Amino acid sequence: MTTDLPAGPLYPGYFADPFVLQVDGRYYAYGTGLHGQADVRAFEVLSSPDLRQWTSHGGVLEPLSAEKRDYWAPEVAVQGDTFYLYYSVGQGDQSHHLRVATARHPLGPFADTGQNLTPAEPFAIDPHPFQDQDGAWWLFYARDDLGGERPGTVLAVAPLHEMTRLGEAQTILRASGDWQRYQAGRPMYGGVYDWHTLEGPFVRYRDGQYHLLYSGGAWINDSYGVGHAVAAHPLGPWREPQPGANVLHTTPVLIGPGHASVTTLEDQDVLIFHAWDDAHTRRQLHAAPLRWEEGGPRAQVAPSAPVDTALPSE
């Protein structure tokens, strides 16, 4: 097992919602933090030969307009000789919709295709493109849903046609526990709700099953963590073998870790995720070996110096 990954952040800057793509022996990391506006490309991209040393290449996505907007959670898929960057854009935590941009190189620049992938959704974030064993593509994402016993943000999936068009979406996983509570008494959509949040989906096919990693809780504090569900098909039904943030959660050395994706290094699966710095001013890029156990995947977080466990101020 790979054990010599850095115990702390891989990059000193703000780098939330990280996704890592491996192309021709090099790793490219895309993350939330750099928002698009006039003359400023969104989404900082980093590259590395080994997941240890990283170089920043600046913004990668041409902005939609001169107006500053909030660009969140990029992920990149490759089909043929085209790179497809999926992301959400909105203002603050309002009116986010999913979009896709294309480029001929992982460093871009990416240009938006001009399509809103989720025009009927009031709020959609965290797109995750997944190619099935038969070559078909699916897009997993998070969306708001007021139904069920725990209203809030749930996980959905839709078939992805020609990489730029979504079919009918279906909810696949809702909140199942108190650890996924984002905020009690949250005003939303003209009502007040005990709001729960599932977000940041990532799917891995392994040993004849689909494994879904997702983040739950409130990203702003130490309730945030990564849970796990399994299914025999992307549409489910999905079940949680061991409910809870059992893949990754707050420890004395990590505060609010989450929004995970998986890559490989030396034939070992590696979990890529963000966590708060000890001053609670920025979320930073981290990596840890991922061990697959009988009860599900577990991040093997290396010990490090303890950090302050107070909640982030923002």
Side-chain angles (χ1 to χ4, degrees):
M1 172 173 289
T2 301
T3 58
D4 60 347
L5 290 167
L10 304 179
Y11 180 67
Y14 192 105
F15 207 86
D17 310 327
F19 172 78
V20 168
L21 178 71
Q22 189 174 6
V23 180
D24 296 332
R26 193 163 187 86
Y27 298 92
Y28 297 88
Y30 306 83
T32 300
L34 185 60
H35 299 297
Q37 57 185 308
D39 301 321
V40 177
R41 290 176 181 162
F43 299 131
E44 184 177 12
V45 60
L46 315 174
S47 70
S48 171
D50 56 8
L51 296 183
R52 301 173 181 91
Q53 302 296 321
W54 293 87
T55 299
S56 175
H57 301 274
V60 72
L61 172 67
E62 297 289 354
L64 293 179
S65 68
E67 177 189 14
K68 183 176 181 180
R69 301 187 188 181
D70 293 294
Y71 292 74
W72 289 359
E75 286 204 18
V76 176
V78 185
Q79 179 75 329
D81 59 358
T82 302
F83 294 83
Y84 294 86
L85 186 150
Y86 298 86
Y87 67 100
S88 79
V89 61
Q91 296 285 4
D93 62 356
Q94 302 295 315
S95 304
H96 272 256
H97 288 276
L98 304 184
R99 303 185 69 92
V100 59
T102 60
R104 294 294 184 179
H105 190 276
L107 293 179
F110 286 83
D112 189 84
T113 61
Q115 301 177 69
N116 180 348
L117 299 180
T118 55
E121 300 279 13
F123 181 81
I125 59 172
D126 297 354
H128 167 57
F130 170 76
Q131 188 172 27
D132 206 349
Q133 302 304 296
D134 62 1
W137 285 89
W138 299 83
L139 192 71
F140 293 80
Y141 64 97
R143 65 179 181 181
D144 285 356
D145 188 331
L146 302 182
E149 297 181 357
R150 300 176 185 270
T153 305
V154 304
L155 299 183
V157 66
L160 184 57
H161 304 301
E162 301 172 353
M163 306 303 286
T164 59
R165 182 169 50 88
L166 286 188
E168 183 178 357
Q170 177 176 309
T171 294
I172 58 169
L173 198 65
R174 298 176 181 272
S176 59
D178 289 344
W179 76 275
Q180 298 156 333
R181 182 183 294 112
Y182 178 86
Q183 181 182 338
R186 187 184 189 193
M188 293 290 289
Y189 301 108
V192 178
Y193 302 91
D194 191 7
W195 196 265
H196 292 70
T197 292
L198 304 186
E199 60 187 15
F202 184 89
V203 175
R204 188 85 158 182
Y205 183 80
R206 179 184 172 90
D207 298 333
Q209 287 189 308
Y210 297 86
H211 295 264
L212 169 66
L213 305 182
Y214 71 89
S215 295
W219 64 272
I220 58 174
N221 62 43
D222 60 3
S223 72
Y224 206 55
V226 178
H228 167 245
V230 296
H233 189 275
L235 291 174
W238 291 87
R239 62 180 181 86
E240 297 176 274
Q242 295 185 2
N246 46 66
V247 179
L248 183 67
H249 52 79
T250 292
T251 72
V253 300
L254 288 174
I255 303 302
H259 202 108
S261 61
V262 181
T263 189
T264 58
L265 176 66
E266 301 164 8
D267 297 322
Q268 164 66 43
D269 279 347
V270 175
L271 193 72
I272 303 295
F273 60 96
H274 71 234
W276 286 100
D277 68 334
D278 56 2
H280 311 294
T281 57
R282 60 190 182 274
R283 292 174 289 171
Q284 294 179 290
L285 176 65
H286 288 254
L290 187 68
R291 175 179 294 168
W292 293 88
E293 302 175 350
E294 184 175 350
R298 301 287 186 273
Q300 305 300 296
V301 178
S304 184
V307 297
D308 179 10
T309 57
L311 301 186
S313 59
E314 296 181 354

